[in-house]
Amino acid sequence: MEDLPLNDLDAFTAIARERSFRAAARKRGVSASSLSDSLRRLEEHVGVRLLNRTTRSVTPTEAGERLLQRLTPALSEISLALQQLDVFRDSPSGTLRLNVPIIATRLFLPDLASRFLKRYPRISLEIVGEDTFVDVLAAGYDAGIRYDERLDRDMIAVPIGPRRQRYVTAAAPDYLERRGIPGHPRDLLEHECIRHRFLSGAALPWEFERADETLVITPKGPIIANTIEMQVSAAVTGLGIIRTFEEVLMPAIERGELVPILDDWVTEFSGPFLYYASRKHMPPALRAFVDFVKGEPRKEG
């Protein structure tokens, strides 16, 4: 085993995580054929098949799954050891992998990431936006962004982005002319509503708050989508009533394409957090990002 290259082990880990040669190749910035060659060499060295490959899927064998579980922390430690050499350089370097909700990639993360990378040009960011709640460490990420109800209690959480956000309700003027203006959230049960479905398949009910009163309803409507763009477009064309982040709807409201309704029933909640595991030796790229976020002025909305 002494002549087994670490690159081949790293290639196997990438393919097994992504369940795809092409996806792993894109993330590594190499060709799929080079990853295939690495996997072939590795399987020849260990003498067992590590991945089952078909034209449609790539899945680890039992041996491959066991190797992946042992390799992931080991390769992370090797990567961290190399990154620690940054203390001898002028500025930190390396790749920082973040798992974030899609809304963060639209509302505040692009601007923050741009300013961070201008300050630390030797660091590269790999940002995966998804609304499924993965174990960031097990999936190979350095950190994640989550709202407080989704935070694991054994993780460190640092405020990032706006500190207070609001859910508002709106509809197109022509829809309100045709169907009338709801005066209470219960009235929405008689209206067409545009809902969001997460990739996990969950479609959450709508929650409303007024003073000390909380009301939860499950509206119905002609369209349910997992993208904000589709939902807003459907609302603007008059298909129904939408309820989502105020920042998302504000451009259409300012253009007069949507009209806010149920103003007394706006739901306010705390903003997102950057969260990561407590480590004695934090990767330099993550340390730089955490310090950068901590130095950001706190915006209330």
Side-chain angles (χ1 to χ4, degrees):
M1 290 294 178
E2 58 273 5
D3 60 343
L4 185 61
L6 283 176
N7 283 344
D8 292 347
L9 293 170
D10 187 54
F12 158 73
T13 303
I15 300 165
R17 280 179 183 163
E18 298 298 327
R19 302 293 201 267
S20 165
F21 282 86
R22 289 184 179 179
R26 283 196 299 269
K27 287 198 171 184
R28 286 295 188 275
V30 298
S31 67
S33 61
S34 69
L35 290 183
S36 179
D37 290 340
S38 293
L39 180 63
R40 176 183 51 78
R41 286 194 300 267
L42 178 59
E43 289 182 327
E44 288 176 356
H45 271 287
V46 299
V48 296
R49 190 174 186 85
L50 299 174
L51 295 176
N52 291 317
R53 287 91 85 184
T54 70
T55 56
R56 294 186 177 182
S57 67
V58 177
T59 57
T61 62
E62 182 180 355
E65 190 65 49
R66 184 171 301 182
L67 180 61
L68 179 64
Q69 292 174 1
R70 298 295 297 272
L71 275 182
T72 298
L75 290 176
S76 295
E77 284 299 314
I78 292 172
S79 177
L80 178 57
L82 294 174
Q83 290 179 40
Q84 292 299 319
L85 298 177
D86 277 342
V87 298
F88 300 103
R89 301 190 182 102
D90 294 334
S91 63
S93 64
T95 299
L96 176 62
R97 300 189 72 226
L98 301 176
N99 182 278
V100 308
I102 293 175
I103 195 68
T105 67
R106 295 186 172 98
L107 297 186
F108 65 87
L109 197 53
D111 176 65
L112 187 147
S114 176
R115 289 184 286 108
F116 172 72
L117 292 175
K118 287 177 181 178
R119 181 178 299 183
Y120 298 103
R122 294 172 59 86
I123 293 176
S124 61
L125 280 179
E126 183 178 326
I127 298 171
V128 175
E130 58 181 356
D131 289 328
T132 52
F133 300 104
V134 302
D135 182 331
V136 293
L137 297 183
Y141 296 98
D142 298 295
I145 294 177
R146 293 289 183 270
Y147 286 84
D148 56 3
E149 73 272 14
R150 296 289 183 175
L151 292 177
D152 295 325
R153 298 309 170 191
D154 58 347
M155 304 285 273
I156 297 175
V158 176
I160 187 173
R163 295 325 312 137
R164 301 298 298 174
Q165 292 183 274
R166 306 196 322 159
Y167 256 41
V168 300
T169 314
D174 69 304
Y175 175 88
L176 297 175
E177 289 177 7
R178 286 186 286 109
R179 300 294 303 273
I181 301 175
H184 191 279
R186 292 192 188 90
D187 296 340
L188 296 176
L189 297 175
E190 305 300 324
H191 280 264
E192 305 294 339
C193 296
I194 298 164
R195 300 178 63 199
H196 178 82
R197 186 184 297 281
F198 293 97
L199 291 178
S200 65
L204 300 181
W206 288 4
E207 183 174 310
F208 295 84
E209 295 178 357
R210 182 175 67 179
D212 295 330
E213 185 179 1
T214 299
L215 180 66
V216 178
I217 67 167
T218 301
K220 297 180 181 180
I223 189 167
I224 183 168
N226 70 334
T227 67
I228 290 291
E229 290 84 359
M230 183 67 197
Q231 295 165 46
V232 174
S233 294
V236 168
T237 58
L239 285 180
I241 295 172
I242 187 171
R243 180 171 173 79
T244 189
F245 289 88
E246 183 178 39
E247 300 99 318
V248 170
L249 297 183
M250 191 52 64
I253 291 174
E254 291 177 343
R255 291 192 298 265
E257 297 170 339
L258 293 176
V259 176
I261 59 175
L262 300 173
D263 292 337
D264 292 340
W265 293 89
V266 169
T267 301
E268 187 171 313
F269 50 94
S270 63
F273 293 84
L274 173 71
Y275 80 113
Y276 54 96
S278 175
R279 295 180 181 177
K280 184 177 180 181
H281 301 294
M282 188 184 297
L286 177 57
R287 166 54 64 193
F289 190 67
V290 169
D291 291 343
F292 181 81
V293 170
K294 286 182 177 179
E296 286 283 285
R298 294 285 156 249
K299 297 180 180 179
E300 291 303 313

